[in-house]
Amino acid sequence: MMKRLLLFFALLCGAVLPAWAHKPSDSYLSLEVQGERIAGQWDIALRDLDFAIGLDQDGDGKLTWDEIRTRHAAIAAYALERLSIATDKGACLIDTDEQLIDDHTDGAYSVLRFHVTCPSPLAALTINYRLFDDLDPQHKGLLRLTHDGVTSTAIFDPAHARQSLSLSSPDRLQQFGAYVKDGVWHIWIGYDHILFLLSLLLPAVMLGARGTPSASLRESFIDVLKVVTAFTLAHSLTLTLASLSLIALPSRWVESAIAASVVLAALNNVYPLFRGRRPLAAFAFGLIHGFGFASVLIDLGLPQGALLTSLFGFNLGVEIGQLCIVAAFLPLAFALRGTWFYRRLLTGGSVAIALVAVVWLVERAFDLKLISA
């Protein structure tokens, strides 16, 4: 049994360690309709382009401006071959204007500026987005479309690569639903958030100073409710403040602090650091995790009207994803709470989580790559 448990922990580490970056692969597409002409800007992560077409020509692991500049034509060709825009009158013509570099919350991005000429009239746009669809099924394209002062949004992924957007009456419900779904997915692929949450949940069915199994599911549920509510209130607060640009913290600080929170939450299950104050710890660490959630919306640069809808939908999706994890974990943990396996899982699993998070912390704090993806 112990060998199986150790094998489980090894598989856990092998699955989680490659997920160094908290933020998944996203690109940011902005379209501003100006009569029959559309001004466009497409921000694409250099790390994604390097993986797709190779930008690091000398293989030293670092990208220079000269290396990127010599690949401008390749970048434009690769990106624009995977984007098409049309109206009901026919296809639009896309021409490149210039290429720049900009820093986002998760690193450097290539900024491709272009203009689009479409057959008139422009009542709706049909956009076909296929960037990295053959390389990364989790990649998403976040669109901001502006027309006559009204901003609408959309999220593209391989399952929703082709979408039609009305310029006169944007579908706000569809946009809201897209950000709810993205919030759910953001939690489910956010390994650091999942391990943090599991570290807080593991002792919920082992109450008492000596780790006595909980007498009732209701008692464990109340404990989980306190922890999850504290975490939710905290990350919702900083998610809102950061998305509205009222508070800003450097991305490396935020990601390093998230990794540190996982370490401390896991070690608390081995040696009581919080001593009965898990809800308070969940609130404190939730403030940091909220900044991590906000990175998706900050980089999109939405105006306040569209931002509030996207913010609410994304936050709701985060909560739904979080509750799904709790709903799957709590009944199983309660059923196993009195077994030798669960007691070993509480200790050994927490140590494994802490070790994974220590690697994340070193990588993020010192900008290293200890584990190759």
Side-chain angles (χ1 to χ4, degrees), residues 93-335:
L93 179 64
I94 304 176
D95 288 316
T96 304
D97 293 329
E98 62 177 340
Q99 294 187 56
L100 306 169
I101 292 178
D102 193 15
D103 286 325
H104 284 242
T105 59
D106 61 329
Y109 278 61
S110 172
V111 178
L112 175 62
R113 289 180 176 172
F114 57 91
H115 65 272
V116 185
T117 306
C118 295
S120 60
L122 272 67
L125 293 178
T126 298
I127 300 173
N128 193 357
Y129 179 103
R130 304 180 308 280
L131 185 67
F132 305 131
D133 61 353
D134 56 338
L135 300 176
D136 184 0
Q138 296 180 358
H139 173 81
K140 296 183 183 301
L142 282 72
L143 169 71
R144 179 183 65 189
L145 175 63
T146 304
H147 177 248
D148 288 341
V150 178
T151 299
S152 55
T153 63
I155 300 177
F156 294 87
D157 56 39
H160 304 86
R162 184 182 179 89
Q163 300 185 42
S164 294
L165 303 173
S166 172
L167 299 181
S168 57
S169 55
D171 190 339
R172 298 299 185 190
L173 183 60
Q174 180 181 2
Q175 295 172 34
F176 177 78
Y179 275 92
V180 171
K181 179 182 177 182
D182 196 48
V184 172
W185 188 244
H186 195 75
I187 275 287
W188 287 355
I189 65 172
Y191 299 111
D192 43 10
H193 295 304
I194 291 176
L195 292 189
F196 175 76
L197 187 59
L198 290 178
S199 296
L200 293 176
L201 294 178
L202 277 169
V205 294
M206 302 291 287
L207 305 179
R210 296 184 178 180
T212 305
S214 173
S216 69
L217 181 60
R218 180 177 179 275
E219 189 177 15
S220 297
F221 175 78
I222 292 175
D223 182 75
V224 168
L225 182 63
K226 292 177 182 178
V227 170
V228 172
T229 300
F231 182 62
T232 296
L233 290 175
H235 76 63
S236 297
L237 175 62
T238 48
L239 168 61
T240 302
L241 293 176
S243 298
L244 296 177
S245 299
L246 298 177
I247 299 178
L249 293 177
S251 176
R252 183 182 292 186
W253 291 9
V254 172
E255 298 303 325
S256 300
I258 289 174
S261 74
V262 179
V263 174
L264 294 175
L267 291 180
N268 181 65
N269 298 334
V270 181
Y271 179 83
L273 302 173
F274 311 138
R275 298 191 180 279
R277 296 184 177 89
R278 283 169 43 254
L280 183 60
F283 184 87
F285 292 139
L287 294 174
I288 299 297
H289 284 245
F291 286 107
F293 293 141
S295 60
V296 173
L297 299 179
I298 292 173
D299 286 336
L300 191 54
L302 294 170
Q304 192 171 47
L307 176 59
L308 292 176
T309 301
S310 303
L311 174 61
F312 181 64
F314 184 79
N315 196 43
L316 178 60
V318 168
E319 304 316 320
I320 293 174
Q322 185 173 276
L323 289 175
C324 288
I325 295 172
V326 173
F329 172 84
L330 185 58
L332 180 61
F334 185 79

